[in-house]
Amino acid sequence: MRYCINCCIHLLPNDLHRQCFRCRGPDHNNQKCPVCRGENKIPLYTDSKQMKWLAVLEVRTDHCESWNGFFCLRKGKLCSLMFGLIIMTLVMVSYILTGAKHGLLLIPSPFHYGAFASNPSLMDNESLSDMKDYYQPSKMNISYVKDYPSIKLIIDTITSKIEFITRQRPDLEELRKQEPHMFSVIPNKFLPNSKNPCWYEEYRGNTTTDPYATNSYALYSKRFRIIFDYLRKVFWNHLYHYKDKHYRLRCLPHFYIIGQPKCGTTDLYDRLRLHPDVRFSAIKEPHWWTRKRFGIIRLRDGFHDRYPVEDYLDLFDLAAHQIQSVLQSDAVKEHGKRNNIIIGEASASTMWDNNAWIFFYDNSTEGEPPFLIQDFIHAFQPNAKLIIMLRDPVERLYSDYLYFASANKSAEDFHEKVAESLQLFEGCVLDFSLRACVYNNTLNNAMPVRLQVGLYVVYLLDWLTVFNKDQILVLRLEDHASNMRYTMHMVFQFLDLGPLSEKQEALITKSPASNTRRPEDRSLGPMLPTTKAILRDFYRPFNTKLAQVLFDDAFLWKRT
């Protein structure tokens, strides 16, 4: 039996070599083929014995055909190798990205983008607002910094960069240029016979006109439509008619509960509105100054049409109707008495949330917002009163996390989110001012937990640049919880409210607390001791400055 190396098949004795297609192609020449001429035949030895001529293995010396077969084999192996490498690369990338996101990697991910790392492509004169397209939130592995000493180094870096610089207050004309429509609607002076800031505005509609047809609060929220349906029914009855013209009473709040979230503002709101001389907006938290006037309905949904100031004023129409009744009463007309009903507004974002400025105000200085919420409120209401409820920022942050986190809540998860947020905040303060970082939308959205909301003194100092200290009442939730009667008396005195009967006071002070922690969140238990120690160190310098500003060491929160 013979063997053909090219074909690797058995050849029967009566088979001719010329039948092998790879050895004998259509252009085969017997005279030129060395095999057919009997050359280059190699005897095959078996057990040290030479086999017969018929058993000799014929080896073709056609190098071209041999190399073609070799390359075919090499191409197959190369394709298989490349395919395997691609699969391995995809698996590794998936592992790194998933592991880095959830903190599962055994070593730090090499793909780390600092919060505000220096970038040579950014010019020296570019501000933080110019970086909103360049900046990418960091999803870094924090498993290697869970130990207290490592995170303490980050906090020490942040502390070394803390500098409380007085903010430059913008001119009134600059504010007018930014919000010309708002200044055209709200007058410079209010009715002298009303304690609450109100004024009359001509109404040019008729009895068939819907005054709330375009109100954005009614359009975008089903639960507020019932309120506006009622306002439509009674609207015409509360117009003031004078010389064939119709006027409606417009009002702004006399006081604002401006913050902070998860500090007891809801409980304070619920108790304060039980006072007979206090009214609130139709919606507890309109968030108009901070969000709606910029077109932010929900932060996760981006921007929509901006809510005009008229939509905001509509929210006070229920209270304005009651003030209107008092103003039209004989006691006020004949005896010169004054309306003592006051209106409040309780958006807990008013004190701190200036994140939208970067999209609307371009003339920033080193990443700091040129205009803040308080600049506009003061421009219209220089005598407004402000109430702030605060609590230990460490406990506030944990409560905030439990309230807003949607899934996988745990003390360990909170710890990791705190560590990552601290790293992001450190990256910012290394390159920018404290104020620029606190008011930066990109950074605040990137941090897994809202560290910045607990930096109370930064916001308070900015409010004190436009309002006098005696116009701001700062309370502690801890005091409110332990002695509610005392804190409510402080609020009544601050707002110059009339005395209450014992029954009215008991109703206000003995009602159950509002907006307490949910049962399912209580089961998670407290934060880790290490996490608490880390946050104590982070907030300490800010609490120290706050206690100095307020001349009250209780705001150090040493005993909580």
Side-chain angles (χ1 to χ4, degrees):
M1 181 180 292
R2 296 182 303 167
Y3 294 82
C4 176
I5 286 198
N6 285 331
C7 294
C8 297
I9 61 172
H10 294 285
L11 295 178
L12 296 176
N14 58 350
D15 288 335
L16 297 177
H17 187 67
R18 66 175 60 90
Q19 293 174 338
C20 176
F21 178 78
R22 288 189 49 91
C23 296
R24 300 177 61 87
D27 300 329
H28 183 72
N29 189 324
N30 292 337
Q31 301 299 324
K32 296 181 179 180
C33 178
V35 176
C36 296
R37 295 202 312 265
E39 300 175 5
N40 297 331
K41 292 188 178 179
I42 302 173
L44 180 65
Y45 288 86
T46 304
D47 297 330
S48 301
K49 296 180 180 180
Q50 184 174 354
M51 296 180 63
K52 295 181 180 180
W53 182 255
L54 293 177
V56 172
L57 178 66
E58 296 183 337
V59 181
R60 295 287 306 273
T61 56
D62 191 346
H63 300 289
C64 180
E65 293 291 340
S66 299
W67 278 109
N68 285 340
F70 176 76
F71 278 122
C72 289
L73 183 63
R74 287 292 300 272
K75 285 182 180 179
K77 289 185 177 179
L78 185 61
C79 290
S80 299
L81 180 62
M82 291 300 297
F83 182 79
L85 289 176
I86 292 173
I87 295 298
M88 289 179 62
T89 303
L90 292 175
V91 171
M92 289 299 296
V93 170
S94 175
Y95 167 74
I96 291 174
L97 294 179
T98 306
K101 180 178 180 180
H102 298 288
L104 301 176
L105 296 183
L106 298 178
I107 59 174
S109 169
F111 304 106
H112 167 58
Y113 299 90
F116 290 97
S118 300
N119 185 348
S121 66
L122 295 176
M123 303 302 293
D124 293 338
N125 61 348
E126 287 183 334
S127 66
L128 189 61
S129 61
D130 297 323
M131 299 182 66
K132 57 179 179 285
D133 294 329
Y134 155 74
Y135 174 79
Q136 294 294 331
S138 170
K139 294 290 185 183
M140 67 179 303
N141 168 39
I142 52 81
S143 60
Y144 68 98
V145 293
K146 283 186 177 180
D147 57 307
Y148 177 80
S150 298
I151 303 181
K152 184 65 167 63
L153 294 176
I154 296 174
I155 296 174
D156 290 342
T157 301
I158 295 173
T159 303
S160 67
K161 295 294 183 179
I162 294 176
E163 191 175 5
F164 300 101
I165 302 175
T166 303
R167 173 176 170 267
Q168 187 67 34
R169 180 175 166 182
D171 297 330
L172 183 61
E173 288 304 315
E174 293 179 298
L175 299 175
R176 289 181 182 274
K177 292 178 182 179
Q178 297 298 325
E179 299 287 352
H181 177 69
M182 198 189 309
F183 278 90
S184 68
V185 173
I186 302 176
N188 296 326
K189 295 182 179 180
F190 305 114
L191 296 176
N193 56 347
S194 176
K195 182 179 178 180
N196 195 85
C198 298
W199 68 97
Y200 282 108
E201 175 185 279
E202 184 179 356
Y203 179 69
R204 293 183 172 85
N206 53 44
T207 54
T208 61
T209 304
D210 181 2
Y212 306 106
T214 60
N215 187 284
S216 300
Y217 285 100
L219 294 174
Y220 288 108
S221 180
K222 293 181 180 179
R223 62 193 179 107
F224 299 139
R225 291 175 187 173
I226 298 175
I227 298 174
F228 285 102
D229 286 342
Y230 171 78
L231 288 173
R232 289 185 183 95
K233 294 177 182 178
V234 301
F235 178 80
W236 194 259
N237 297 331
H238 291 278
L239 290 179
Y240 176 62
H241 308 282
Y242 180 74
K243 291 184 179 180
D244 298 328
K245 290 185 179 180
H246 307 296
Y247 297 88
R248 65 189 295 187
L249 188 69
R250 287 292 206 179
C251 297
L252 281 169
H254 173 72
F255 70 95
Y256 296 84
I257 301 176
I258 63 175
Q260 290 286 63
K262 310 312 299 176
C263 290
T265 56
T266 300
D267 187 76
L268 178 61
Y269 161 83
D270 285 337
R271 297 180 190 282
L272 195 50
R273 69 181 194 165
L274 295 175
H275 194 286
D277 291 339
V278 176
R279 304 291 184 273
F280 275 93
S281 55
I283 301 169
K284 175 188 175 287
E285 294 188 273
H287 296 296
W288 185 79
W289 290 102
T290 55
R291 298 169 188 171
K292 300 298 189 294
R293 72 186 180 100
F294 296 110
I296 301 175
I297 299 177
R298 297 181 185 87
L299 295 176
R300 65 178 180 271
D301 295 338
F303 291 93
H304 296 260
D305 293 336
R306 300 180 69 175
Y307 288 32
V309 65
E310 291 87 348
D311 290 1
Y312 180 60
L313 297 176
D314 287 345
L315 300 180
F316 306 106
D317 276 2
L318 279 173
H321 292 168
Q322 298 182 46
I323 295 176
Q324 167 79 2
S325 299
V326 174
L327 293 176
Q328 296 301 314
S329 65
D330 294 336
V332 174
K333 288 183 177 180
E334 297 177 6
H335 303 287
K337 289 188 177 181
R338 189 169 185 246
N339 162 63
N340 289 319
I341 295 177
I342 59 173
I343 304 174
E345 200 252 75
S347 298
S349 64
T350 306
M351 180 178 180
W352 64 275
D353 190 354
N354 280 275
N355 290 331
W357 74 267
I358 197 170
F359 301 102
F360 294 90
Y361 307 136
D362 296 329
N363 55 334
S364 61
T365 304
E366 297 181 354
E368 297 186 9
F371 311 105
L372 296 177
I373 302 302
Q374 51 266 39
D375 298 329
F376 293 98
I377 294 179
H378 183 269
F380 301 115
Q381 299 175 260
N383 299 319
K385 294 197 172 184
L386 313 167
I387 301 176
I388 303 172
M389 181 81 87
L390 304 177
R391 72 186 290 190
D392 180 357
V394 176
E395 298 298 334
R396 192 219 70 81
L397 186 65
Y398 191 51
S399 177
D400 195 72
Y401 163 78
L402 293 177
Y403 186 82
F404 288 105
S406 58
N408 302 322
K409 291 184 285 189
S410 67
E412 292 76 16
D413 181 66
F414 176 66
H415 179 92
E416 293 186 356
K417 285 179 167 55
V418 167
E420 184 177 352
S421 298
L422 285 170
Q423 293 171 10
L424 290 170
F425 197 79
E426 177 199 27
C428 181
V429 297
L430 285 174
D431 295 327
F432 298 94
S433 69
L434 177 62
R435 182 178 290 109
C437 295
V438 166
Y439 291 125
N440 180 257
N441 174 72
T442 309
L443 173 66
N444 293 340
N445 288 338
M447 289 194 294
V449 290
R450 302 193 295 183
L451 283 175
Q452 79 282 5
V453 178
L455 306 181
Y456 307 139
V457 70
V458 178
Y459 305 111
L460 179 60
L461 289 173
D462 283 346
W463 281 84
L464 287 173
T465 60
V466 291
F467 286 97
N468 296 327
K469 198 171 184 178
D470 59 1
Q471 293 178 257
I472 303 176
L473 175 64
V474 184
L475 304 171
R476 294 195 329 148
L477 176 60
E478 294 82 1
D479 299 330
H480 181 67
S482 61
N483 194 344
M484 194 172 299
R485 187 172 182 271
Y486 175 73
T487 57
M488 293 309 299
H489 272 273
M490 289 182 63
V491 174
F492 297 155
Q493 184 178 0
F494 175 71
L495 297 177
D496 194 23
L497 294 172
L500 295 172
S501 65
E502 291 185 6
K503 185 177 180 179
Q504 290 174 325
E505 186 173 316
L507 178 64
I508 292 174
T509 58
K510 294 182 180 180
S511 300
S514 302
N515 202 20
T516 57
R517 185 171 294 180
R518 295 171 294 204
E520 60 270 25
D521 292 337
R522 293 196 199 104
S523 63
L524 296 175
M527 72 183 80
L528 300 176
T530 303
T531 313
K532 180 174 285 191
I534 289 169
L535 291 173
R536 287 258 180 268
D537 290 339
F538 172 69
Y539 284 118
R540 184 175 293 112
F542 300 98
N543 294 342
T544 300
K545 182 65 174 179
L546 179 64
Q548 294 172 356
V549 172
L550 298 176
F551 300 102
D552 189 347
D553 287 343
F555 289 94
L556 294 172
W557 282 286
K558 287 185 176 181
R559 298 180 182 179
T560 56

